[in-house]
Amino acid sequence: MTWRVPLARPDLSGNEARYALEAIESSWIGPVGPFVDRFEADFARVCGTSQALGVSNGTVGLHLAMAAFGVGPGDEVIVPSLTYIATANAVRYVGAEPVFVDVDPETWCIDPRAADAAVTSRTVGIIPVHLYGHPADMDQLLAIADRHGLFVVEDAAEAHGARYRDRPVGSLATAAVFSFYGNKIVTSGEGGAVTTSDPDLMAKLRLLRGQGMDLTRQYYFPVIGYNYRLTNVACALLCAQLERLDEMLDTRRRIDAVYREALRDVPGICLQPRAEWAQAVPWLVSVMVDESEYGIGRDELMDRLAANGIETRPFFIPIHTLPPYTSGASGPDLPVTTRMAREGVNLPTYSGLSPADVDYVIRCIAEEARHGD
């Protein structure tokens, strides 16, 4: 379907084509080349870490992190249920079990109190997700981890450029993972990165990423690894994207501000909260629809917006309710997650979105509220 206003669209208006062509003409199209080195250095600077590792997507970045931390069968890792399924899948990839907890209604991110209550003798780590570009409350989570001897890996797939207490996400824990999928703020179509300032951890990550081949002895494989590398062509695109990251974020923030100002007085529309310590980034402008106040439910609103050519997306289905993570028994009671999954919707958000299109989306949402009169 061709949308009048799509949910997301990549911004490739800088040097993307020039750099990609340069990579192609150089014949460096595989997982080594000057753009790989440049991207990893540039992205580490953006995230405030000493190193960044390009990987083929965010999911494998999470998998590498679990493997590098030595997570395995019998271990538990605490994750929010309200996230993309990759967060939990990566835990299962290494034979461990994700333990699902609720989110905080004040941030929409993992609730530190719920995470603390979920710690058992088998718990080895926590994966907080910076959901829809808002940082999790990392100080509380790191204190919990320190008290119990746990690792913390940030899932920053949706939060490029966000800051927590004026520190960039990606530098808040021992490691962090980013996605560069086609709808992300920074994109290469597919791709990802792991950031860290721990040299020993980075050495493990690099070893595992490249089939487990020793970094100093060619074709010697001391461990079983994976082929999770990122190509020089993809890194060429990412280098161009990073050149304009501040510009793209400023544009998205202006779009977000227009949405927030116009929708704050629409009854039943609840905007994503912002903690005073957070500098969130609007990956997707996200709202919740209270049917009793708005007049129609989230799903009906999405249908009516679609009829007007506006693409939207519901919030994630809680992972603890999905078939791979249910066993017929009743799962945990996660009331905030359940409500958000039922009422949440993502609105069109991308740096090329015109003011006229933003106004059109806002007008359609405001007009549909009249059905509740």
Side-chain angles (χ1 to χ4, degrees), residues 149-166:
L150 313 176
F151 69 77
V152 177
V153 172
E154 303 171 64
D155 184 336
E158 304 163 359
H160 316 77
R163 302 180 73 85
Y164 171 83
R165 301 190 186 280
D166 207 33

Side-chain angles (χ1 to χ4, degrees), residues 285-369:
V285 171
S286 306
V287 302
M288 290 172 60
V289 182
D290 184 335
E291 182 174 359
S292 65
E293 294 186 21
Y294 185 71
I296 58 175
R298 188 273 311 272
D299 292 348
E300 187 172 353
L301 172 60
M302 291 178 62
D303 288 343
R304 294 184 182 186
L305 291 177
N308 284 291
I310 299 169
E311 184 182 15
T312 59
R313 191 177 81 175
F315 281 13
F316 300 119
I317 297 172
I319 302 177
H320 75 280
T321 68
L322 295 174
Y325 295 99
T326 58
S327 59
S330 60
D333 181 22
L334 308 180
V336 181
T337 293
T338 300
R339 181 190 171 202
M340 288 182 60
R342 182 178 65 246
E343 298 182 358
V345 59
N346 302 124
L347 304 178
T349 315
Y350 52 94
S351 54
L353 191 62
S354 71
D357 283 341
V358 176
D359 289 343
Y360 176 65
V361 176
I362 290 168
R363 185 169 69 253
C364 288
I365 294 172
E367 288 175 351
E368 292 301 340

Side-chain angles (χ1 to χ4, degrees), residues 130-356:
H130 303 314
L131 192 72
Y132 300 134
H134 191 292
D137 191 343
M138 293 300 295
D139 283 352
Q140 289 197 60
L141 293 165
L142 291 169
I144 293 166
D146 185 63
R147 189 162 63 250
H148 295 286
L150 313 176
F151 69 77
V152 177
V153 172
E154 303 171 64
D155 184 336
E158 304 163 359
H160 316 77
R163 302 180 73 85
Y164 171 83
R165 301 190 186 280
D166 207 33
R167 289 176 289 156
V169 302
S171 66
L172 306 174
T174 306
V177 177
F178 292 81
S179 168
F180 305 126
Y181 183 64
N183 63 10
K184 296 299 191 291
I185 296 171
V186 173
T187 182
S188 52
E190 277 283 10
V194 185
T195 58
T196 185
S197 292
D198 183 329
D200 293 333
L201 180 63
M202 179 54 74
K204 293 178 183 176
L205 292 165
R206 286 193 182 278
L207 177 69
L208 292 168
R209 181 190 66 166
Q211 295 282 24
M213 186 169 72
D214 191 284
L215 301 178
T216 60
R217 183 178 175 186
Q218 198 171 27
Y219 299 123
Y220 178 71
F221 299 87
V223 299
I224 294 174
Y226 313 93
N227 184 6
Y228 284 171
R229 296 169 295 184
L230 189 61
T231 70
N232 193 51
V233 176
C235 287
L237 296 174
L238 292 170
C239 287
Q241 294 269 285
L242 292 179
E243 289 177 344
R244 295 181 299 110
L245 177 58
D246 289 343
E247 173 191 330
M248 291 191 294
L249 288 176
D250 286 345
T251 301
R252 284 172 174 267
R253 288 187 174 110
R254 287 195 294 272
I255 291 168
D256 177 67
V258 173
Y259 270 125
R260 296 179 80 85
E261 178 63 26
L263 295 177
R264 71 174 67 252
D265 294 326
V266 177
I269 297 296
C270 176
L271 298 159
Q272 182 182 23
R274 297 283 173 81
E276 54 86 18
W277 38 256
Q279 292 171 268
V281 290
W283 171 46
L284 294 173
V285 171
S286 306
V287 302
M288 290 172 60
V289 182
D290 184 335
E291 182 174 359
S292 65
E293 294 186 21
Y294 185 71
I296 58 175
R298 188 273 311 272
D299 292 348
E300 187 172 353
L301 172 60
M302 291 178 62
D303 288 343
R304 294 184 182 186
L305 291 177
N308 284 291
I310 299 169
E311 184 182 15
T312 59
R313 191 177 81 175
F315 281 13
F316 300 119
I317 297 172
I319 302 177
H320 75 280
T321 68
L322 295 174
Y325 295 99
T326 58
S327 59
S330 60
D333 181 22
L334 308 180
V336 181
T337 293
T338 300
R339 181 190 171 202
M340 288 182 60
R342 182 178 65 246
E343 298 182 358
V345 59
N346 302 124
L347 304 178
T349 315
Y350 52 94
S351 54
L353 191 62
S354 71

